[in-house]
Amino acid sequence: MTALVTDNLPASLAERLTPEQRQLVAEASREKRLEVLTAALGLPEPETLKLLADAAGLDIAVNLETDPDARGILPARLVYDYQFIPIRFGAAPEDRPSPEALLKLPLHLATAWLPDGVMADWLRTFTPRPLVWHLAVPERVHQLIIENFGVGSGSLEDSDDGYVAPESLRQQEEVVDEDAAVVRFVTDVISQAIEDQATDIHFEPQEGQLRIRYRVDGLL
């Protein structure tokens, strides 16, 4: 059972921080919250991750492998916004389960930060499968999202069946700029290039998709 969460933190960890430090954690993006918490506690990141997992009653997923059966049912924007990825857990079944049997199997999700009720509610609109959460190293979660959903696909995806990104919910009374999705897409692509220390960004339009490749250390 997940422990009581205060300001996006279990109470046992929140009480170790100053109000200013708790605010910094709450304001950080989900993929950066562990980094901010690590700095606030003055501990190595693996130790902070273990403390967080223990306090929240979750385990830590290692050797992550994505679950292809679940990947197709989740909108890219949802995955990007909340920084989680469906993973294989335990031994793979010898026979592929039927669609009816698959709906009853737990959906294992590795997340960069603690899940909350809003995340669970959104997921239940796309799948009735029972949700099982695991904490994981944020950098690895983000890497798997990029590998499985593509750079920037969460910015332009238009087939989310009613999903509205959290920032959109906070700005319901504002006029939405029609170019905002493109700006976000370009920002995602350039940010990834900077993170990878790429020298070139190659856009390769193909039938039904757009391939984006980076030149890193002279190789595409």
Side-chain angles (χ1 to χ4, degrees):
M1 179 178 294
T2 302
L4 174 66
V5 174
T6 303
D7 293 337
N8 300 298
L9 278 170
S12 60
L13 287 180
E15 64 188 15
R16 297 175 59 171
L17 306 181
T18 66
E20 292 76 14
Q21 289 172 328
R22 290 199 297 268
Q23 187 67 21
L24 286 174
V25 173
E27 291 178 348
S29 59
R30 294 186 61 84
E31 66 268 29
K32 295 296 183 182
R33 284 180 186 167
L34 182 66
E35 179 182 332
V36 174
L37 179 61
T38 295
L41 293 175
L43 298 172
E45 185 172 291
E47 188 172 340
T48 303
L49 183 63
K50 186 177 187 307
L51 280 175
L52 185 64
D54 290 344
L58 299 175
D59 68 349
I60 299 174
V62 296
N63 300 323
L64 301 183
E65 181 182 352
T66 54
D67 181 354
D69 291 326
R71 186 178 60 201
I73 65 176
L74 301 176
R77 287 186 66 187
L78 184 67
V79 170
Y80 269 89
D81 287 335
Y82 289 110
Q83 289 294 297
F84 66 84
I85 192 81
I87 60 170
R88 292 185 185 275
F89 190 80
E94 295 183 1
D95 298 321
R96 184 181 179 88
S98 66
E100 294 78 13
L102 185 63
L103 291 177
K104 299 178 181 179
L105 295 178
L107 177 59
H108 291 270
L109 300 159
T111 178
W113 188 253
L114 302 180
D116 56 37
V118 175
M119 291 173 61
D121 287 345
W122 272 118
L123 277 162
R124 290 189 184 99
T125 67
F126 295 99
T127 177
R129 293 174 61 180
L131 306 178
V132 179
W133 293 98
H134 310 264
L135 279 181
V137 176
E139 290 80 4
R140 180 56 177 155
V141 173
H142 184 71
Q143 179 187 14
L144 286 174
I145 292 173
I146 295 297
E147 291 176 0
N148 288 271
F149 290 89
V151 176
S153 62
S155 304
L156 296 180
E157 185 175 86
D158 58 1
S159 59
D160 293 352
D161 296 332
Y163 172 67
V164 181
E167 60 269 23
S168 298
L169 292 174
R170 292 192 295 265
Q171 299 171 355
Q172 287 179 352
E173 296 181 359
E174 297 182 9
V175 177
V176 179
D177 185 351
E178 293 182 356
D179 296 330
V182 175
V183 171
R184 180 178 170 182
F185 168 73
V186 173
T187 300
D188 287 347
V189 171
I190 295 177
S191 296
Q192 187 65 39
I194 293 172
E195 183 176 329
D196 292 343
Q197 297 183 332
T199 56
D200 302 32
I201 303 174
H202 292 248
F203 293 89
E204 302 174 357
Q206 300 177 345
E207 184 177 356
Q209 66 177 350
L210 172 67
R211 171 182 289 175
I212 301 172
R213 296 202 290 172
Y214 298 100
R215 187 177 301 280
V216 179
D217 295 331
L219 299 176
L220 277 177

